Amino acid sequence: DDGRSAQPWRNPSEEMLKRVVYLSSSLVIAVFAIMVAMAGGPTVFMDLIKQKFQADLPFEGADLVGRRALVTGANRGLGKAISQVLLENHADSVLMTGRNIERCRTAAAEIIARESGNGKLEGGGLGPRVGTAELDLGSFASIDRFVEELKSKSTSATDAGVNTIVLNAAVAGIVPQDRETGMNPILGVNFVGNVYLLDSLLRANLVNKDTSIIVVTSGAHVLGDPESFPIWDEASATNAMSLYGQSKFLLQSWLEGLRASSWRGGAGMNPKKPFIVYWNPGPVDTGLGADSVPSLLFPIYWLMKRMFFVEPLKVARTAAYLLSDPPPVRPGTYFNMREIAQPHPFTGNSSFQQRVYEETKGLICRLSNSDQEGCIA
């Protein structure tokens, strides 16, 4: 005995196993943390999981006879799917809009070909029920042209050619500033563009109490900061999701003010007050913002798609449900995928609604070179 303590014998296989378990566990935790961050935080990530367990909607189909719908961002993804589902459920007509008119026409032709091949069309054709129009929500001039064209086709002030609007078009990801206005397109399109479109439709008497509006929002709107109006912020990998959530939060707040007419001074409701519901479709496989995912993180993005994302056509059935007659939900409802949920509390705050209105009015007046009284209702 040389007096030294005996070292316990270690099994190399056990040591290797421990290291493998440790490294594997660390990798799983790291991937999970990145997924949560990419989703926009724990609250939004829980939405991804929740949709796996939500019950199906309690209907087999909807009869949308009499619906004359306008769908923004309809040239691909969810907008295209919503257009198809509305037509399948007997909507009188659907006007598919987008920045690229040729892509809209191609999407419309694909829907016509698909539905004709499935034998779902009465009278042998869908053509007269489908229209296309150019509409870029990032351009006031494009919105003005679109509204003028729509107004010229209206038969009366009460028949605007459309009585249903689906605000689906959106921008997400790391996108450059708009060269003309300097705005971030995430806020410029998702918030300011939608406000300008709806205000223009109101002023042209193309929206009234008989109009139904579905606002395609996002679970990320719950991340909204009532102290932030980040119109000029540049998008980056660290803030793109928060900017997207903020754009949806501000739009919802502005629209809730419209419903309550809180900025129009008066008690009583706006006589033109449309029926508005907010719908978070959940994780939809549309590719929105996918080109902004760093290549290093794309394998994790691919894994998230496989685990959580849903095909647009399956998700789009909810739009038909929300437009059923009688309405299955109250005006102002936030429909989180397939169930009613609580929206961001500030969307219903009248003081905040007033502040959003004033900020937005000032912005639109400056960008459109209009006086404060005439640029927005």
Side-chain angles (χ1 to χ4, degrees):
D1 185 357
D2 60 5
R4 291 178 296 181
S5 301
Q7 296 293 320
W9 180 80
R10 296 181 179 180
N11 187 329
S13 298
E14 287 184 6
E15 288 297 311
M16 181 61 70
L17 180 60
K18 287 180 180 179
R19 289 186 180 184
V20 169
V21 170
Y22 174 77
L23 291 174
S24 300
S25 301
S26 300
L27 179 62
V28 169
I29 292 171
V31 168
F32 180 78
I34 294 171
M35 282 185 174
V36 172
M38 290 177 70
T43 302
V44 182
F45 186 76
M46 286 304 298
D47 276 347
L48 304 186
I49 298 174
K50 186 185 298 182
Q51 59 91 18
K52 291 286 187 180
F53 302 99
Q54 285 183 331
D56 289 337
L57 292 168
F59 82 117
E60 293 298 323
D63 191 348
L64 303 182
V65 171
R67 292 285 184 185
R68 302 182 303 278
L70 157 66
V71 182
T72 66
N75 59 301
R76 64 172 185 166
L78 185 58
K80 178 183 175 183
I82 290 171
S83 301
Q84 179 172 327
V85 167
L86 297 185
L87 291 163
E88 287 177 355
N89 286 276
H90 315 297
D92 286 9
S93 63
V94 173
L95 179 59
M96 300 172 64
T97 70
R99 286 179 293 178
N100 187 313
I101 186 62
E102 292 304 321
R103 289 182 181 177
C104 271
R105 289 170 179 161
T106 299
E110 289 172 353
I111 291 175
I112 292 170
R114 176 189 174 102
E115 296 308 294
S116 298
N118 289 342
K120 293 185 178 181
L121 305 181
E122 296 95 5
L126 185 61
R129 295 171 57 206
V130 183
T132 58
E134 182 178 329
L135 176 58
D136 180 0
L137 291 178
S139 165
F140 288 176
S142 176
I143 294 170
D144 289 339
R145 287 193 298 269
F146 171 77
V147 172
E148 281 300 314
E149 183 179 352
L150 189 62
K151 187 175 181 179
S152 69
K153 294 179 180 178
S154 304
T155 59
S156 68
T158 56
D159 179 11
V162 298
N163 57 21
T164 302
I165 301 172
V166 182
L167 297 178
N168 166 74
V171 172
I174 305 172
V175 288
Q177 303 295 93
D178 184 276
R179 287 180 293 181
E180 183 176 339
T181 65
M183 283 193 295
N184 183 315
I186 299 175
L187 275 295
V189 170
N190 303 0
F191 172 50
V192 179
N194 277 308
V195 167
Y196 190 79
L197 171 64
L198 285 178
D199 186 75
S200 298
L201 292 171
L202 277 166
R203 290 154 64 88
N205 292 318
L206 300 180
V207 167
N208 55 45
K209 62 181 178 61
D210 298 318
T211 307
S212 296
I213 301 176
I214 292 182
V215 181
V216 180
T217 184
S218 167
H221 92 277
V222 301
L223 306 174
D225 178 3
E227 299 301 321
S228 176
F229 201 72
I231 299 296
W232 314 109
D233 289 12
E234 293 190 17
S236 66
T238 58
N239 71 353
M241 178 56 73
S242 64
L243 289 173
Y244 183 73
Q246 190 72 12
S247 71
K248 299 294 188 178
F249 166 58
L250 291 173
L251 177 62
Q252 195 161 329
S253 302
W254 189 89
L255 287 167
E256 280 302 277
L258 171 64
R259 278 202 329 112
S261 302
S262 60
W263 59 68
R264 296 173 192 270
M269 305 297 254
N270 185 337
K272 295 181 180 180
K273 177 179 68 73
F275 178 92
I276 304 176
V277 294
Y278 308 95
W279 170 42
N280 168 27
V284 188
D285 189 6
T286 64
L288 182 65
D291 53 350
S292 298
V293 177
S295 56
L296 185 64
L297 298 180
F298 206 85
I300 297 178
Y301 176 76
W302 177 87
L303 181 62
M304 290 178 69
K305 284 183 61 175
R306 293 296 298 267
M307 292 174 64
F308 302 119
F309 286 35
V310 184
E311 287 298 315
L313 270 175
K314 182 177 180 181
V315 175
R317 294 179 68 245
T318 303
Y321 169 74
L322 292 172
L323 292 171
S324 301
D325 191 22
V329 297
R330 292 176 176 273
T333 295
Y334 170 53
F335 207 67
N336 190 29
M337 293 172 288
R338 297 190 299 276
E339 64 183 26
I340 295 172
Q342 291 298 315
H344 193 300
F346 267 83
T347 58
N349 182 294
S350 58
S351 297
F352 181 65
Q353 292 166 358
Q354 175 75 28
R355 182 150 53 92
V356 170
Y357 170 71
E358 295 296 342
E359 291 264 15
T360 309
K361 179 179 180 179
L363 174 66
I364 290 177
C365 289
R366 291 197 303 274
L367 293 175
S368 60
N369 295 315
S370 301
D371 62 84
Q372 287 286 322
E373 295 301 320
C375 68
I376 191 170

